[in-house]
Amino acid sequence: MVVRTSTRVTVASGSTSSSVETRISPTLKVAYYGAGSGIPEVKSILAGFVIHGFLGVRILVVKTFGLILCCASGIMAGKEGPMVQIASSLGNISTRIFDKYFKNEAKKREIISASAAAGVSVAFGAPIGGVLFSLEEVSYFFPNKTMLRSLTCALVAALVLKAYNPFGTGKLVLFQTTYDIDYQ
């Protein structure tokens, strides 16, 4: 579903090996940008590069559907990178509603940075970890208002995850560590 590219098939025709026929299968690229984790591309976008279609609706649908199938099948694949790309896609798509953010690339990158923090917050169940990830790893320019937006997005994402209770255990993540003895 993610990558289908043209392949070159060499077929020997007849009894001699000197006559070789080459056929090219049709090219169909559904969502090429959906392959991989997506974190390096989000870092590139926040650094100033423009990658058309990477944070669009088509990639959002394919990545979400693929992540659901991957987690439901029990494949031991990391869900953190796709969660960052899904959250960044939602942030980018939501900027299209308001002209203030859609026409200003700097403000759009602030929203994408805050969305990346929310994606890490949902993946690990750690809002502060999402803000630190956005501060240290993803963003190159991180003013105080972006930190406040990232913290707000990460907290709201963690609270929605807590209210939604996807695992039915009351925990934010599937394997949460609990301590029986309190430290003094």
Side-chain angles (χ1 to χ4, degrees), residues 121-127 158-159 161-163 166-167 169-174 176:
S121 173
V122 169
F124 289 109
L159 289 174
L161 183 68
K162 178 81 172 169
F167 304 111
T169 59
K171 298 178 181 178
L172 286 179
V173 292
L174 185 58
Q176 185 172 355

Side-chain angles (χ1 to χ4, degrees), residues 85-168:
Q85 185 177 358
I86 289 169
S88 299
S89 294
L90 286 172
N92 184 41
I93 292 167
S94 66
T95 59
R96 296 177 188 173
I97 299 170
F98 306 103
D99 284 339
K100 175 182 178 181
Y101 296 105
F102 183 66
K103 293 181 179 178
N104 191 342
E105 288 293 323
K107 290 187 181 293
K108 186 186 293 188
R109 287 188 177 94
E110 289 177 6
I111 299 298
I112 292 172
S113 178
S115 299
V120 171
S121 173
V122 169
F124 289 109
I128 303 299
V131 175
L132 289 175
F133 174 80
S134 182
L135 172 67
E136 293 175 355
E137 292 296 323
V138 179
S139 299
Y140 290 95
F141 180 69
F142 205 81
N144 289 335
K145 66 179 180 176
T146 305
M147 185 180 298
L148 184 62
R149 287 179 182 164
S150 298
L151 180 64
T152 304
C153 284
L155 285 173
V156 168
L159 289 174
V160 168
L161 183 68
K162 178 81 172 169
Y164 182 65
N165 194 12
F167 304 111

Side-chain angles (χ1 to χ4, degrees), residues 7-30:
T7 56
R8 223 171 248 283
V9 179
T10 305
V11 179
S13 60
S15 60
T16 62
S17 61
S18 62
S19 61
V20 175
E21 178 182 335
T22 303
R23 295 185 209 146
I24 298 176
S25 64
T27 302
L28 175 65
K29 293 182 181 179
V30 177

Side-chain angles (χ1 to χ4, degrees), residues 8 25 32 39-40 63 80 84 117 132 137 158-159 182:
R8 223 171 248 283
S25 64
Y32 185 73
I39 293 176
K63 198 73 155 185
E80 295 80 16
V84 169
L132 289 175
E137 292 296 323
L159 289 174
D182 294 331

Side-chain angles (χ1 to χ4, degrees), residues 45-65:
I45 288 171
L46 291 175
F49 292 98
V50 177
I51 305 174
H52 293 287
F54 180 73
L55 297 176
V57 177
R58 181 184 303 165
I59 302 301
L60 174 68
V61 170
V62 168
K63 198 73 155 185
T64 303
F65 187 65

